[in-house]
Amino acid sequence: MTEKQFWQLKPLNEMSAGEWESLCDGCGKCCLIRLEDIDTGEYHTTKACCELLNAETSRCTRYLKRHDLVTDCVKISHTNINNLEWMPSTCAYRLLAEGKELYDWHPLVSGNPESVHKAGISVRSRVIPENKIDEEDLPDYIVKWFD
Ligand code: SF4
Ligand code: SF4
């Protein structure tokens, strides 16, 4: 029988800082610009990303300072994850908060940080920094494959 791992044994609020950080698969999907339909409240994901995201690695370039530098960069925690309805359905924090398992491509499961990219889950090399796009053109960048 396979031994259970920390994310299968502990609730999110009991994880150490290191365990919490390791849950992030590095997909970069939470760093995409989303547009909210003011009539329906529905979010639409674009392939424009925060200008601090490295589009070629899908990693934040200023991770430790991110909340000082980008006012709408949300600090994800066990207390707010259930209220962040725009978070991608594949996000490990969301999956665990919903009582679901991590996918096979998650680096903690596969043992390979590349597996999230190979599975086509990450935004690596598929996004454009928001500062290279006119804000009024953002609706033209709405995509479906990042939900
Ligand atoms: S969506 Fe979740 S797993 Fe992906 S980069 Fe953001 S926090 Fe990490
Ligand atoms: S500051 Fe970093 S973590 Fe926050 S949205 Fe931008 S790229 Fe993502």
Side-chain angles (χ1 to χ4, degrees), residues 31-93:
C31 306
L32 298 178
I33 310 303
R34 289 173 173 78
L35 303 176
E36 184 180 6
D37 185 320
I38 51 169
D39 295 324
T40 64
E42 192 182 352
Y43 285 96
H44 299 285
T45 309
T46 74
K47 64 177 186 177
C49 63
C50 171
E51 61 186 283
L52 292 190
L53 190 77
N54 181 326
E56 298 311 311
T57 63
S58 71
R59 288 285 184 178
C60 181
T61 54
R62 301 296 304 277
Y63 190 70
L64 295 179
K65 289 260 181 197
R66 65 196 188 284
H67 301 303
D68 297 330
L69 297 169
V70 176
T71 49
D72 57 356
C73 177
V74 176
K75 183 171 175 58
I76 304 162
S77 73
H78 69 272
T79 57
N80 68 5
I81 184 64
N82 285 317
N83 299 324
L84 304 176
E85 66 274 19
W86 49 267
M87 283 294 278
S89 60
T90 59
C91 175
Y93 300 107

